[in-house]
């Protein structure tokens, strides 16, 4: 089943490149007893100390006029709860390997300041620290994913962090935590052992990092002896397959639970273009890099299969999303961008890729939650809005912890100036209550596509759903019109003899529920 599913996805992709546009696209959704469960953690998020993600975004401080709980905006708490975010990664990113956790605990007025050297050179007062983050995760019902400092830390600082967070009592760090007002340890399973160690984490070679990783991981202990630790090694930059190969080869299995991968979508890395004012050519290029995720995941997984045929180590795509130029007049180091239907296309297609690779991809984190890169929430003073990406993530959360249903289809192509991309992307799942969900994306900027859904294997009589689309590809939700792009009800259709036909408008995301 493993191999079958991957090759189906691959074959589909290869086919689309050569297939000519066809009137109707046939998609067969079936049931496969050995299919994996789509981990809810694929729907994770990432909040870094970067620009206005934490300070002036999530965290406004207890004295703020903006309604808050322990300094975190209530409107964002509500929005993230509604989104059912399963996990949240913090405090970086590149910031993580400059962060010394002890500076962010204890009385806030006694905490030292620090300069955020990666992002805008701003001075931070450390008022949002480990207690603030972990308590926020408890409020959200999300599992914390702590990306801990390796690049400018020591094994002692790192292991004391684990002890501070997880030890019950009677150890120096646990007692220090209690002095700071938290008696019980938190539940933190996910630990990142550094970030981008090939770059901002220390410019290490894969071989050197593999050794450093082994050293740090050796001293990490699950003090609670409950759920075990899930240690995630800093992973490859995009298509650096050598990095994955070395980690998988050189790190013993008992020391590692996950290997990360970072890949962003953009027009051109050195000429990213505006987030709102872009041409079709720029849209096409962005989608090309977004769809490359399928190849990346396939190839990194193949390396992992070689060293870990029993699939005990997860591929964790803990940074993904669209990256454009910052909005005019904003700090270039703050990475603040708007979010249009292009971002909805990136979100829909990327999540479909992760779902279809659920066997190896067990976790992923969209970059980033608030006011940075492909954010789900934007704020301006007291105002807050939900982006098209937020709506896609919410529509897709029906796949969380549901069983993958394999799909077979030949996509028509989205053609632009002699190049072709697969226009349609699909994934499907069946949840515990037996409900079937199918998420479809049409990235074509102009063409509507008729989808002929074959559901003969499934007991589905009727399909209803939610669709996200807009008049123009460049449309977005602004603070003046925060509800311009909203998911709409998709009129329900009958399934006759296992077949249903749906029309998929240009640049749209549709999630169907079968009953
Ligand atoms: O998400 C922004 C930055 O992108 C992160 O800090 C870093 O890990 C990556 O290069």
């Amino acid at each position: 089943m493993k191999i079958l599913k991957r090759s189906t996805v691959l074959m589909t992709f290869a086919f689309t490149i050569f297939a000519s546009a066809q009137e109707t696209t046939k998609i067969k959704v079936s049931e496969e007893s050995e299919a994996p469960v789509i981990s809810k953690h694929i729907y994770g998020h990432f909040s870094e100390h970067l620009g206005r993600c934490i300070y002036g975004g999530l965290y406004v401080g207890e004295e703020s006029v903006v309604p808050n709980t322990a300094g975190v905006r209530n409107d964002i708490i509500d929005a993230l709860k509604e989104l059912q975010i399963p996990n949240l990664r913090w405090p970086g990113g590149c910031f993580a390997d400059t962060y010394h956790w002890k500076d962010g605990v204890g009385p806030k007025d006694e905490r030292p300041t620090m300069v955020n050297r990666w992002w805008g050179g701003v001075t931070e007062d450390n008022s949002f620290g480990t207690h603030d983050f972990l308590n926020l995760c408890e409020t959200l019902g999300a599992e914390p994913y702590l990306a801990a400092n390796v690049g400018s830390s020591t094994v002692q600082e790192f292991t004391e962090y684990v002890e501070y967070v997880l030890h019950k009592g009677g150890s120096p760090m646990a007692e220090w935590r209690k002095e700071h007002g938290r008696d019980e340890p938190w539940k933190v399973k996910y630990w990142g052992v550094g970030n981008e160690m090939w770059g901002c984490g220390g410019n290490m070679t894969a071989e050197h990092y593999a050794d450093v990783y082994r050293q740090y991981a050796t001293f990490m202990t699950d003090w609670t002896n409950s759920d075990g630790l899930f240690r995630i090694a800093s992973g490859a930059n995009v298509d650096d397959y050598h990095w994955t190969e070395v980690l998988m080869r050189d790190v013993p299995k008992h020391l590692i639970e996950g290997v990360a991968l970072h890949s962003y979508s953009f027009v051109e890395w050195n000429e990213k273009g505006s987030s709102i004012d872009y041409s079709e050519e720029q849209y096409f290029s962005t989608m090309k890099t977004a769809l490359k995720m399928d190849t990346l995941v396939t190839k990194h997984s193949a390396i992992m299969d070689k060293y870990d045929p029993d699939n005990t180590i997860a591929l964790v795509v803990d940074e993904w999303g669209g990256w454009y130029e910052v909005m005019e007049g904003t700090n270039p180091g703050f990475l603040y961008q708007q979010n249009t239907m292009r971002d909805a296309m990136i979100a829909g297609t990327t999540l479909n890729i992760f779902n279809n690779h659920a066997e190896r991809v067990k976790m992923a984190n969209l970059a980033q939650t608030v006011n940075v890169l492909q954010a789900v929430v934007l704020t301006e003073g007291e105002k807050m809005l939900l982006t098209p990406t937020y709506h896609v993530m919410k529509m897709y959360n029906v796949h969380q912890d549901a069983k993958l249903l394999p799909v077979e289809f030949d996509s028509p192509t989205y053609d632009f100036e002699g190049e072709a991309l697969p226009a349609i992307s699909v994934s499907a799942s069946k949840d515990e209550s037996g409900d079937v969900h199918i998420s479809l994306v049409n990235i074509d900027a102009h063409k509507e596509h008729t989808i002929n859904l074959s559901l003969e294997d499934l007991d589905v009589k009727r399909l209803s759903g939610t669709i996200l689309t807009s008049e123009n590809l460049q449309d977005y939700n602004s603070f003046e019109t925060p509800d311009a792009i909203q998911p709409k009800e998709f009129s329900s259709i009958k399934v006759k003899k296992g077949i249903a036909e749906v029309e998929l408008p240009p640049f749209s995301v549709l999630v169907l529920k079968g009953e």
Side-chain angles (χ1 to χ4, degrees):
M1 170 55 208
K2 272 182 210 170
I3 295 153
L4 209 163
K5 183 175 68 63
R6 272 204 196 115
S7 59
T8 305
V9 172
L10 256 184
M11 247 171 49
T12 303
F13 187 76
F15 220 94
T16 58
I17 304 297
F18 305 107
S20 60
Q22 56 194 52
E23 297 236 309
T24 300
T25 303
K26 290 193 173 164
I27 299 178
K28 184 173 166 56
V29 184
S30 41
E31 208 158 4
E32 163 66 68
S33 60
E34 283 175 58
V37 165
I38 298 169
S39 166
K40 66 176 179 182
H41 289 294
I42 282 177
Y43 291 81
H45 291 262
F46 166 39
S47 290
E48 181 167 10
H49 284 238
L50 194 177
R52 294 188 302 116
C53 184
I54 301 290
Y55 298 114
L58 262 174
Y59 186 75
V60 286
E62 281 164 75
E63 307 305 321
S64 173
V65 292
V66 181
N68 67 81
T69 302
V72 180
R73 291 179 72 124
N74 289 344
D75 49 5
I76 298 187
I77 291 177
D78 292 344
L80 297 182
K81 271 188 176 169
E82 184 82 23
L83 198 52
Q84 293 172 25
I85 74 163
N87 71 70
L88 188 56
R89 179 174 182 245
W90 177 86
C94 291
F95 179 84
D97 287 284
T98 62
Y99 184 62
H100 298 283
W101 67 272
K102 289 182 184 173
D103 295 345
V105 297
K108 295 202 178 195
D109 55 359
E110 291 173 19
R111 295 182 192 175
T113 57
M114 73 169 292
V115 175
N116 191 331
R117 58 160 291 189
W118 289 114
W119 307 115
V122 290
T123 301
E124 299 191 2
D125 64 4
N126 269 309
S127 54
F128 189 88
T130 296
H131 288 246
D132 309 271
F133 173 68
L134 296 179
N135 293 344
L136 168 65
C137 288
E138 285 184 342
T139 306
L140 295 174
E143 287 201 49
Y145 169 10
L146 284 173
N149 184 348
V150 168
S152 69
S153 176
T154 59
V155 173
Q156 181 169 354
E157 182 182 339
F158 196 108
T159 51
E160 283 180 342
Y161 197 16
V162 182
E163 182 186 320
Y164 186 90
V165 169
L166 294 182
H167 198 276
K168 252 192 148 113
S171 79
M173 288 300 115
E175 293 311 308
W176 200 39
R177 181 191 70 231
K178 289 181 186 198
E179 276 172 36
H180 295 151
R182 172 80 188 197
D183 271 355
E184 289 302 308
W186 291 277
K187 203 172 164 285
V188 181
K189 184 173 173 184
Y190 298 104
W191 290 84
V193 184
N195 169 76
E196 297 195 349
M197 301 307 289
W198 40 264
C200 61
N203 282 306
M204 296 179 188
T205 61
E207 289 76 6
H208 178 64
Y209 174 61
D211 274 349
V212 171
Y213 177 90
R214 290 163 65 126
Q215 185 188 5
Y216 274 71
T218 301
F219 296 98
M220 293 173 73
T221 310
D222 165 22
W223 293 102
T224 63
N225 288 321
S226 55
D227 216 4
L229 290 180
F230 197 101
R231 292 158 295 185
I232 301 165
S234 160
N237 182 25
V238 192
D239 55 1
D240 182 355
Y241 301 113
H242 175 72
W243 188 274
T244 303
E245 180 95 36
V246 171
L247 285 181
M248 293 300 296
R249 189 193 64 205
D250 292 357
V251 178
K253 283 214 187 71
H254 70 278
L255 291 177
I256 188 166
E257 284 75 34
V259 171
L261 166 66
H262 288 182
S263 181
Y264 286 93
S265 310
F266 44 81
V267 177
E268 296 243 10
W269 185 249
N270 293 320
E271 224 180 301
K272 298 192 181 71
S274 160
S275 59
I276 47 176
D277 190 11
Y278 53 87
S279 63
E280 184 172 352
E281 188 181 354
Q282 290 173 311
Y283 168 63
F284 192 87
S285 300
T286 315
M287 292 317 299
K288 212 191 305 182
T289 55
L291 293 172
K292 197 177 159 195
M293 184 65 87
D294 192 55
T295 308
L296 295 175
V297 168
T298 303
K299 290 193 173 173
H300 284 288
S301 298
I303 296 167
M304 295 177 77
D305 287 349
K306 197 165 80 177
Y307 294 96
D308 177 35
D310 296 334
N311 204 356
T312 59
I313 301 170
L315 182 59
V316 176
V317 190
D318 56 13
E319 286 187 31
W320 67 273
W323 192 323
Y324 320 112
E325 276 164 14
V326 299
M327 288 296 279
E328 224 178 294
T330 65
N331 187 329
F334 280 15
L335 308 187
Y336 175 69
Q337 61 190 42
Q338 247 295 355
N339 199 291
T340 67
M341 285 304 295
R342 170 171 61 175
D343 297 277
M345 297 301 102
I346 296 174
T349 50
T350 306
L351 293 170
N352 280 344
I353 292 168
F354 293 158
N355 286 348
N356 287 323
H357 285 274
E359 196 172 64
R360 186 63 80 172
V361 180
K362 304 268 192 246
M363 191 169 185
N365 302 78
L366 174 64
Q368 299 194 3
T369 323
V370 184
N371 294 332
V372 170
L373 299 176
Q374 192 175 339
V376 288
V377 171
L378 299 179
T379 65
E380 191 180 84
E382 289 185 51
K383 295 185 198 157
M384 185 274 251
L385 65 80
L386 306 176
T387 64
T389 301
Y390 176 95
H391 295 304
V392 174
M393 295 286 290
K394 190 168 167 214
M395 287 159 68
Y396 271 57
N397 69 22
V398 290
H399 292 303
Q400 291 190 17
D401 283 342
K403 198 170 164 69
L404 182 74
L405 297 173
V407 290
E408 281 170 66
F409 74 110
D410 295 332
S411 173
T413 53
Y414 165 31
D415 304 312
F416 182 78
E417 293 186 348
E419 285 194 81
L421 289 175
I424 307 293
S425 139
V426 194
S427 71
S429 68
K430 191 176 198 174
D431 66 19
E432 274 199 333
S433 66
D435 285 339
V436 168
H437 292 101
I438 306 161
S439 44
L440 298 130
V441 186
N442 175 13
I443 66 162
D444 198 305
H446 308 286
K447 272 193 206 156
E448 175 173 83
H449 285 285
T450 305
I451 308 292
N452 178 288
L453 270 177
S454 155
L455 309 167
E456 282 113 328
D457 284 5
L458 308 157
D459 182 25
V460 173
K461 309 256 173 320
R462 174 164 289 282
L463 289 168
S464 56
T466 313
I467 188 160
L468 192 82
T469 188
S470 193
E471 214 165 297
N472 304 300
L473 188 57
Q474 290 82 358
D475 287 348
Y476 57 91
N477 290 338
S478 69
F479 290 99
E480 290 70 45
T481 54
D483 296 328
I485 302 173
Q486 286 278 316
K488 296 199 173 63
E489 207 180 301
F490 189 77
S491 28
S492 88
I493 32 174
K494 266 196 177 157
V495 180
K496 289 180 202 149
K497 295 188 180 156
I499 305 285
E501 276 211 349
V502 293
E503 301 295 335
L504 209 51
F507 53 92
S508 64
V509 180
L510 171 65
V511 178
L512 293 169
K513 178 181 175 186
E515 290 162 300

